[in-house]
Amino acid sequence: MCFSFEVSIATFVISWSISFYLLNKGLTLGYKKEVIFLMIFSSMQLADAILWYHKMKRNNINYIVTSLLIPLLLSLQLIYKVFFINYSEYIKFIDDKLLKILIFLLICYLFYRFNGYSISMCDNKLSSPIWGSNEIKGWELILFAFLLWYPNNHMFFGTLILLALIKIIVGGAYGTLWCAIANLLAFYYLYKY
């Protein structure tokens, strides 16, 4: 999880470095798409790093990062995963137009949901950003994780396990789950590809 500027920026740099290395290995198109998704996914760490760098003060930078950059990156994750990687899997179960309407509504919800300022969960070494000053609800994270990882049940259930561990160890700030997953995913792809 991202407990500081240093952890957030290191996660971003490591994930992107591994991604650039992998993209230059001559991967198949499917593997390249997964690596590009990792780059979008791990870009959230840059947003967290900006928040940490400015000490999550209630200012214009915090508002822009929280209200625009974070929902934009989350939206890009959904769009890329649903429409560029797993589109054929989704339209087996849902009409194309309905899928597009649902994703559009979810993106609108993300911008509504995170409108505001991010705050630090606490003032100790386990402090993490709470995006939009309002903790992410379990159902929101489960729905988002399902849409991101479908049809990969292993990644979905792995995300749920990490969510439970964050709840037990830290007690909240689930958005920083992306930090842990970004690192795990980067090293998994490095091993796999």
Side-chain angles (χ1 to χ4, degrees), residues 89-106:
E89 295 296 325
Y90 282 98
I91 60 171
K92 288 179 184 176
F93 300 104
I94 188 169
D95 179 67
D96 178 57
K97 289 181 184 177
L98 182 58
L99 177 63
K100 289 175 182 173
I101 290 169
L102 289 173
I103 296 299
F104 174 76
L105 291 174
L106 185 54

Side-chain angles (χ1 to χ4, degrees), residues 118-159:
S118 293
I119 59 172
S120 180
M121 190 178 93
C122 56
D123 290 326
N124 62 34
K125 291 184 180 194
L126 297 179
S127 182
S128 296
I130 295 178
W131 300 333
S133 302
N134 189 3
E135 187 62 80
I136 297 172
K137 309 289 187 272
W139 70 267
E140 292 169 324
L141 190 55
I142 291 169
L143 174 63
F144 192 81
F146 176 78
L147 290 171
L148 269 191
W149 302 125
Y150 178 81
N152 187 336
N153 292 330
H154 292 88
M155 286 300 293
F156 175 66
F157 288 115
T159 301

Side-chain angles (χ1 to χ4, degrees), residues 34-91:
E34 291 291 338
V35 172
I36 291 168
F37 172 73
L38 171 62
M39 295 174 83
I40 296 168
F41 189 79
S42 61
S43 293
M44 189 62 73
Q45 297 324 301
L46 192 56
D48 272 355
I50 294 168
L51 291 171
W52 279 118
Y53 185 78
H54 291 279
K55 299 180 183 9
M56 283 183 247
K57 292 179 183 170
R58 194 174 172 98
N59 58 23
N60 288 338
I61 293 171
N62 185 323
Y63 183 80
I64 291 168
V65 169
T66 303
S67 302
L68 297 176
L69 185 57
I70 288 172
L72 176 65
L73 290 171
L74 292 170
S75 298
L76 288 173
Q77 290 173 28
L78 276 178
I79 291 168
Y80 195 77
K81 197 68 165 179
V82 170
F83 295 107
F84 291 89
I85 296 179
N86 293 328
Y87 181 71
S88 61
E89 295 296 325
Y90 282 98
I91 60 171

